[in-house]
Amino acid sequence: MAAGRGRVILKTVKEIIVQFCPFESNVRGAREFLAAVGTEKARLTNSNCRIVADVKHDEMEPVIAVTF
């Protein structure tokens, strides 16, 4: 996965799971990452990549798990 100036390539990625609580103050990075990999242009680089957004209210730290 490569990122730089708005360019995301998901060629070697099988699955991305982003988990966060939207009410916590430290989720900005997770939300921005999810927005970047969720664009149509990024998704077209690998149509088999599964992107899961798990939003829950459990006051846990944000987690981003990438499976290659």
Side-chain angles (χ1 to χ4, degrees), residues 6-59:
R7 187 175 134 211
V8 177
I9 301 172
L10 302 173
K11 188 175 184 180
T12 60
V13 180
K14 281 186 173 182
E15 180 179 57
I16 298 172
I17 300 173
V18 182
Q19 300 174 342
F20 62 92
C21 174
F23 303 111
E24 296 296 315
S25 61
N26 60 349
V27 298
R28 182 177 181 183
R31 289 180 143 198
E32 288 176 355
F33 178 81
L34 184 59
V37 298
T39 63
E40 186 172 346
K41 192 171 186 179
R43 303 221 33 180
L44 287 175
T45 62
N46 183 357
S47 60
N48 295 325
C49 179
R50 184 172 162 235
I51 299 174
V52 178
D54 191 8
V55 180
K56 48 187 168 181
H57 183 48
D58 60 359
E59 298 177 6

